[in-house]
Amino acid sequence: MSDINDMPGHLARRFQQIAVAVFLTEVEEAGYDLTPVQYAALVAIRANPAIDQATLAGLIAYDRTTITGVVDRLVQKGLVIRQSSSHDRRVRQLQITDEGKQTLRGITPAVEAAQRTMLRGLTAKEADELMRLLRKAIAAGNELSRAPLRGAATSEPSADRPAK
Amino acid sequence: MSDINDMPGHLARRFQQIAVAVFLTEVEEAGYDLTPVQYAALVAIRANPAIDQATLAGLIAYDRTTITGVVDRLVQKGLVIRQSSSHDRRVRQLQITDEGKQTLRGITPAVEAAQRTMLRGLTAKEADELMRLLRKAIAAGNELSRAPLRGAATSEPSADRPAK
DNA sequence: TACTGATCATCAGCATACTTATCAATATCG
DNA sequence: CGATATTGATAAGTATGCTGATGATCAGTA
């Protein structure tokens, strides 16, 4: 265990480092300027119109304080609109713009290419297994991070959310 | 692929997020104040006395500009000494201090506990497989990141370094 | 209704990461 | 030897990610 390359934490950092670099490269080559974090947020906003920032953070496992800056940049790029809610004035509701939708549609091939590239050293079976193991480890460690994944907190309680 | 949870990039981010949180928690409970990045750098400096910063960066796959700040903090904590080389005055040679060695010895149990905790959802066999697959994917993608791993560049060329 | 606690968003501050640019020193080529 | 190229270190700027604190607001209760 004395070698750093035997430590899962170090491997996690390296893999993430490569994943981000691949994503940025593919996306830039496609003519877009969007980070992995911004992409995930934009996808979630499109799928959940009028979502508030705290719920969004839970959906994609971001820290609440990080989401502020991410949304700031999406708003600045004209991909998202942030407006106050009339029901609860603490809340900022998020909406994707037409330009945001267009960006998502155009960027999809590059994003999918990136996912393939970062696994290019593995066979299809190995890639599936890696993702299965990552999902399993993440599920077991979800509550250990400050920004755990939270199922959508709509009016009706989600059934597949682990008991808290 | 439309779901973010099917994307290896997102899983990589989540796993890394948990790994860092677990590391910091375990280390803090053991009474130490060291980040994963600082720990890896300190281990590498101990194993390579009088190493320069650029070589250190290659050994643990950090960006050259990132290493400056990391070493700054290690120096500030008294764990590392940075001194100019007499042979090449561009170079800052790094040495671990006695306090640095003592910290590494004391922190080891917490670090090992952290590595186990972040894999707690997996069986031993699954953990081994996950690490094997991560290593394989990382090896294939090494050159895709800005800060690829580089074998130690000592006077004699390293044999196990992939041809560039 | 006033109090209490919880929640949403944000800010300040610290620590990675990376891009680009710059400076200083060394190496190399002609 | 001198112009050029390369290299080590750092700075400036941007983007995550986290801790801790604050202000505004909401919900439930005494």
Side-chain angles (χ1 to χ4, degrees), chain A residues 43-54:
Chain A
V43 168
I45 293 169
R46 181 182 58 179
N48 300 273
I51 195 175
D52 66 276
Q53 294 186 182

Side-chain angles (χ1 to χ4, degrees), chain A residues 85-162:
Chain A
S85 164
S86 50
H87 300 301
D88 185 341
R89 281 191 301 179
R90 292 170 303 182
V91 170
R92 305 302 158 99
Q93 292 178 322
L94 306 176
Q95 295 280 359
I96 189 170
T97 65
D98 286 342
E99 192 185 341
K101 290 177 187 172
Q102 205 172 329
T103 295
L104 276 187
R105 277 194 299 270
I107 210 175
T108 297
V111 171
E112 292 181 345
Q115 309 304 309
R116 284 191 300 272
T117 300
M118 67 185 70
L119 295 177
R120 67 178 185 180
L122 306 182
T123 66
K125 185 171 288 188
E126 284 177 330
D128 284 346
E129 180 68 359
L130 174 59
M131 291 178 63
R132 184 185 76 82
L133 293 173
L134 282 176
R135 268 192 288 263
K136 193 173 178 185
I138 289 165
N142 187 46
E143 298 302 322
L144 300 178
S145 82
R146 164 165 150 167
L149 191 71
R150 298 285 179 212
T154 51
S155 49
E156 49 183 340
S158 171
D160 56 2
R161 179 174 35 182

Side-chain angles (χ1 to χ4, degrees), chain B residues 58-115:
Chain B
L59 275 182
I60 49 186
Y62 290 10
D63 188 272
R64 281 191 185 83
T65 63
T66 301
I67 207 78
T68 300
V70 174
V71 172
D72 278 351
R73 280 160 223 125
L74 289 174
V75 169
Q76 196 176 350
K77 289 176 183 177
L79 307 180
V80 162
I81 291 176
R82 175 161 41 190
Q83 49 194 166
S84 293
S85 164
S86 49
H87 300 301
D88 186 340
R89 281 191 298 180
R90 291 171 304 184
V91 171
R92 305 302 159 97
Q93 291 179 322
L94 305 177
Q95 295 280 357
I96 190 170
T97 65
D98 286 343
E99 192 184 342
K101 290 177 188 172
Q102 205 172 330
T103 295
L104 275 187
R105 277 195 298 271
I107 211 176
T108 297
V111 171
E112 291 181 347
Q115 309 305 308

